Amino acid sequence: MSLFEPKILSVSELTKLIKQELELSGQFKDILVRGEISGVTKSSAGHYYFTLKDEKSVVPCVLFRRYWGRETLSVELKHGMKVIVSGSLTVYEPGGKYQLKVEEVFPEGLGRLHLLAEELKQRLKAEGLFDEERKRPLPPHPRKLGVVTSPSGAVIRDIVTVARRRYPNIEILLSPALVQGSQAPASIVRALADLYAQPDVDVIIVGRGGGSFEELNAFNQEEVVRAIAASPVPIVSAVGHETDFTLADLAADKRAPTPSAAAELVVPRRDELCQRVDVLRERAEVTMLRLLQNLRANLTRLRTHTYFSNPRLLIEGKIQQCDEITAKLWQLGPAKLAKNRPELSLTQRRLALAVAGLVRTARQEIQYKKQSLRISITRMIERARAAGENQAGRLDALSPLKTLARGYSVCQNQAGRVVTTSSQVELGEDLRVRLARGELGVKVMEIKGEEKP
Amino acid sequence: MSAPKSNKLTYEEAFSRLEEIVRKLESGEAGLDESLRLFEEGIKLSRICNERLNEAEARIEKLVRQADGEITREPFVIETEEDECDDELPF
């Protein structure tokens, strides 16, 4: 019977089907469309709505703010402007209309190079070459900075100047390349490959000075863009000036607006790195000092505690207890009981005598316990004292650091043994002198004092 | 992370281990023995960091392709332009 039942779609089902058809087919994804702009409005949220039209048709367009003013070649939108836009077709379900979600807008008169670059950009983007997830962080302390640029001109000079100002003993390795003209793409690719083969380079700047779109064209070439994306170490692009954007910028891990800015990004300030180390070292020293002071204070408190200064206090209370119990037992006087009460039965007397024996044993036991208690407490105190001395000794062992800080130094021979008398060294021997900060290498010029045995 | 193989540590490794040690010391979790050990290691690490910061040689070189295709390194001297002031160049 379902054969005869007509399939009825709800409005939203229909719209959903159309949306799927249009958006998922991929046919209308990342396309370029030529037309004339009309009816531009800008929403309060900053999105642009406009219509793109030609002689026969119109298509509604939306340009979301997040695409606006990004690293794009876009221009300001005006009514009547002939443009080429890039974007994808989407279906706006509540309005039941399709529209072009625009990502970039170029003026119609744009040259062939722009369009080629744009086409390449869409293709590489779809491939994922520009994905955010591919971007690597720059090393905080690069050991060797690789640079791909022209060996003459301002770029390498700016980079060297800025890099040296920030990190005076920086190591830079230039891989020279032609950055303009028909040879440039192949030259840049080769220079990059040469640098990639150097095992000690751990960050790279690739760039050139500003110029026209045509002059920067090498950095929009597929082979160059791919070579940059393939860098084994983090790579920074510095092509042209602030306002120039190339595909190389999108492929690099980071884009710098100028070569000097690239050097600032890549090269850390050496004095800052030194300072960060010093700060940590100081924090460690302060913490350690505080810990030692606390322990010392605890130790002093323990040593001056009454039980240590007057150990008898520990046992006096117990001795008194013992004495009281003993006295009580004697008061009960079971022996006396046995002697003075003849009317008691033999059994009772025997019992009393037995009790008297027990009491005697107990008394001896108590005497013995008292003695051993005294001995073990004395021993305990001795042990505690020894442990205290030991800890104090360890704390003092640390003080060389402080001694060094007061201006003394430690002299060691090459074997690392500390030199304490002049007889330990030979004339001309190389020694190391440790200061509170740093070390010196010195040579023995003269030996005085104690004669050699 | 256990005892460091001191000489092979990079600046980054030494620094992040030093940070970890200072955090541990400051947390007060470690006892005296452990603290002393950490402190000693920390001082050693700070020395390694400083060594790493000092060991670079301020070299500027360029890659040169020889006729046989082999790539070598040569010192690189920047060509100065006559019309520009090169006072700030440190060489």
Side-chain angles (χ1 to χ4, degrees), chain B:
Chain B
M1 227 161 125
S2 56
K5 317 152 270 171
S6 52
N7 284 334
K8 289 294 155 211
L9 285 181
T10 65
Y11 170 84
E12 288 93 329
E13 287 164 345
F15 187 82
S16 67
R17 173 70 181 143
L18 178 57
E19 273 183 317
E20 191 187 325
I21 279 177
V22 172
R23 244 197 326 273
K24 249 191 223 166
L25 271 178
E26 288 181 337
S27 75
E29 291 161 10
L32 177 59
D33 281 340
E34 174 75 351
S35 292
L36 282 171
R37 201 186 58 68
L38 288 172
F39 177 68
E40 230 166 86
E41 194 187 337
I43 296 301
K44 227 178 266 168
L45 286 165
S46 74
R47 209 174 300 140
I48 291 170
C49 285
N50 285 327
E51 275 167 22
R52 295 293 172 273
L53 293 173
N54 286 320
E55 71 193 356
E57 276 181 56
R59 257 197 307 234
I60 315 261
E61 296 175 305
K62 66 171 176 179
L63 293 177
V64 180
R65 228 173 233 278
Q66 304 297 338
D68 59 2
E70 204 193 330
I71 300 168
T72 55
R73 295 182 184 189
E74 284 176 10
F76 175 68
V77 182
I78 290 183
E79 300 164 20
T80 51
E81 286 161 42
E82 284 169 20
D83 56 343
E84 274 180 272
C85 167
D86 36 11
D87 279 350
E88 1 170 281
L89 290 180
F91 36 82

Side-chain angles (χ1 to χ4, degrees), chain A residues 257-278:
Chain A
T258 62
S260 302
E264 304 235 350
L265 269 178
V266 168
V267 180
R269 289 189 49 138
R270 190 172 162 283
D271 51 359
E272 271 173 18
L273 294 183
C274 289
Q275 207 186 347
R276 287 173 63 192
V277 174
D278 287 347

Side-chain angles (χ1 to χ4, degrees), chain A residues 173-318:
Chain A
L173 182 55
L174 170 70
S175 188
L178 291 166
V179 291
Q180 193 171 324
S182 60
Q183 309 287 310
S187 174
I188 294 168
V189 169
R190 194 167 47 231
L192 283 169
D194 289 351
L195 216 45
Y196 295 167
Q198 308 301 313
D200 49 349
V201 169
D202 50 9
V203 65
I204 293 172
I205 297 175
V206 54
R208 58 151 286 147
S212 68
F213 192 85
E214 286 68 28
E215 284 168 328
L216 305 183
N217 191 41
F219 293 89
N220 281 324
Q221 294 303 299
E222 180 163 1
E223 51 197 309
V224 172
V225 179
R226 284 194 187 279
I228 288 173
S231 174
V233 296
I235 185 163
V236 175
S237 72
V239 182
H241 292 313
E242 204 78 48
T243 50
D244 299 322
F245 270 97
T246 64
L247 301 189
D249 294 325
L250 298 176
D253 292 290
K254 238 182 171 68
R255 175 212 179 230
T258 62
S260 302
E264 304 235 350
L265 269 178
V266 168
V267 180
R269 289 189 49 138
R270 190 172 162 283
D271 51 359
E272 271 173 18
L273 294 183
C274 289
Q275 207 186 347
R276 287 173 63 192
V277 174
D278 287 347
V279 165
L280 281 183
R281 191 192 160 111
E282 265 170 41
R283 274 167 60 184
E285 283 171 351
V286 166
T287 311
M288 202 59 215
L289 202 67
R290 204 178 301 138
L291 175 68
L292 291 176
Q293 276 167 352
N294 285 347
L295 287 174
R296 240 188 241 275
N298 281 346
L299 202 58
T300 315
R301 212 171 45 239
L302 280 175
R303 276 162 142 181
T304 53
H305 192 279
T306 7
Y307 282 153
F308 283 95
S309 52
N310 190 2
R312 278 195 66 83
L313 284 177
L314 266 177
I315 46 172
E316 268 170 359
K318 296 209 156 62

Side-chain angles (χ1 to χ4, degrees), chain A residues 375-419:
Chain A
I375 289 169
S376 61
I377 283 175
T378 313
R379 220 176 265 155
M380 214 171 78
I381 290 166
E382 267 164 16
R383 216 175 295 144
R385 267 198 190 134
E389 294 301 328
N390 193 17
Q391 291 289 30
R394 299 203 50 178
L395 298 183
D396 287 337
L398 257 147
S399 55
L401 284 174
K402 275 190 274 166
T403 312
L404 288 182
R406 285 204 302 270
Y408 292 89
S409 49
V410 178
C411 183
Q412 289 168 297
N413 64 17
Q414 290 301 323
R417 281 195 48 191
V418 174
V419 177

Side-chain angles (χ1 to χ4, degrees), chain A residues 350-369:
Chain A
R350 271 196 195 140
L351 184 64
L353 279 170
V355 170
L358 279 178
V359 168
R360 209 174 303 124
T361 320
R363 204 188 168 199
Q364 277 162 6
E365 183 85 345
I366 286 166
Q367 209 55 43
Y368 173 72
K369 285 256 163 79

